[in-house]
Amino acid sequence: RKEVEQDPGPFNVPEGATVAFNCTYSNSASQSFFWYRQDCRKEPKLLMSVYSSGNEDGRFTAQLNRASQYISLLIRDSKLSDSATYLCVVIGGGGSNYKLTFGKGTLLTVNP
Amino acid sequence: DAMVIQNPRYQVTQFGKPVTLSCSQTLNHNVMYWYQQKSSQAPKLLFHYYDKDFNNEADTPDNFQSRRPNTSFCFLDIRSPGLGDAAMYLCATSSPGRMDGYTFGSGTRLTVV
């Protein structure tokens, strides 16, 4: 089982749609969780951290369920500029409390 | 602005010809990482330095080496690049316990011809 698994995608949605991405992680000792965004041929950039209580940043909402080892990202009112690959990232477990482990990413295309 | 700088942005090398990619940081972060990202795949950690301590991932080929002469600089050496080593190489830095998190460089895209 891969350490971090994501919806394979790709997702194609119209502007204004709501889209949800799911991610699971295998190491129950993992400590920190993030969603990164990566534009084509660019480096990953932090979108938001994910907390057990859930957190929201504008149109973006992230949730963590430690019992199920599940992370989600919800994007409301999609914009064309949201088109990118979304990477689920986990830190911790396996003897390290600072190494990032990436999911494969889910490609989102928002269409006019 | 404080940042992580990778040079060059694009690198073309010949099959089997040693190549070095560089990364520098002005953040004074303890940890520097090298990731390899192939097309449509997740970034894969090759190794990292925690200060001067080198940590190799178990599945990183021997063809890949790294040097960190000081806090600011870290180099990725590919001794004999093969066609399969063509990828984006990402440098990142962090300091565990600090709130500024991880910072990625813009990457070096390596082409092997």
Side-chain angles (χ1 to χ4, degrees), chain A:
Chain A
R1 182 182 173 188
K2 292 182 182 175
E3 289 189 63
V4 180
E5 293 205 61
Q6 294 185 235
D7 288 332
F11 284 45
N12 284 279
V13 303
E15 264 188 297
T18 295
V19 61
F21 301 130
N22 301 314
C23 172
T24 57
Y25 60 97
S26 61
N27 193 329
S28 60
S30 298
Q31 299 163 351
S32 303
F33 310 90
F34 307 89
W35 284 101
Y36 274 71
R37 171 195 168 125
Q38 187 172 27
D39 293 295
C40 187
R41 305 178 81 85
K42 298 285 183 68
E43 74 275 23
K45 293 191 175 176
L46 179 65
L47 179 64
M48 59 196 303
S49 302
V50 188
Y51 305 113
S52 297
S53 55
N55 48 302
E56 189 173 307
D57 182 2
R59 298 181 293 109
F60 299 85
T61 301
Q63 296 276 355
L64 166 64
N65 184 321
R66 285 189 183 269
S68 303
Q69 295 178 205
Y70 170 86
I71 305 161
S72 66
L73 175 68
L74 184 76
I75 305 176
R76 292 181 300 278
D77 189 23
S78 301
K79 310 292 185 191
L80 297 178
S81 58
D82 294 333
S83 298
T85 296
Y86 290 83
L87 297 158
C88 177
V89 182
V90 170
I91 294 178
S96 166
N97 63 354
Y98 57 87
K99 289 196 300 184
L100 295 176
T101 301
F102 287 83
K104 190 175 178 180
T106 304
L107 176 63
L108 171 67
T109 301
V110 181
N111 301 302

